[in-house]
Amino acid sequence: MINDDNKIDNLMQQVEELELRILAAHRIDRLALHPKFSQSLVRLRVAGARVPTRLVRLEQILSEEVAEEVFDNMPV
């Protein structure tokens, strides 16, 4: 159980560091960090951690930005 708690703490620390990088980054850099951030949230869930609402919301925002970027670059 202690190992699981340490694993979750380490994963949470990594996610929070990514969160800070994303919040400080410009749009293109944010989009580049999205896959790593999303994957980190999956690892947190698999480890049994509850993902804080703010991180879920940031993931949603990044997903929307990715979708906008795809459609902005489509020829009409």
Side-chain angles (χ1 to χ4, degrees), residues 1-31:
M1 185 70 172
I2 292 175
N3 271 344
D4 289 342
D5 289 343
N6 286 340
K7 180 179 179 180
I8 290 171
D9 289 344
N10 289 337
L11 287 170
M12 185 62 75
Q13 183 178 0
Q14 291 172 9
V15 169
E16 288 174 339
E17 288 171 7
L18 272 172
E19 174 191 25
L20 293 176
R21 288 178 56 196
I22 289 166
L23 294 175
H26 293 286
R27 182 177 171 90
I28 298 300
D29 295 329
R30 288 166 55 97
L31 298 180

Side-chain angles (χ1 to χ4, degrees), residues 19 22-23 37 54-62:
E19 174 191 25
I22 289 166
L23 294 175
F37 183 73
R54 74 177 197 283
L55 298 177
V56 172
R57 182 66 188 132
L58 180 57
E59 213 300 314
Q60 291 170 339
I61 290 168
L62 290 171

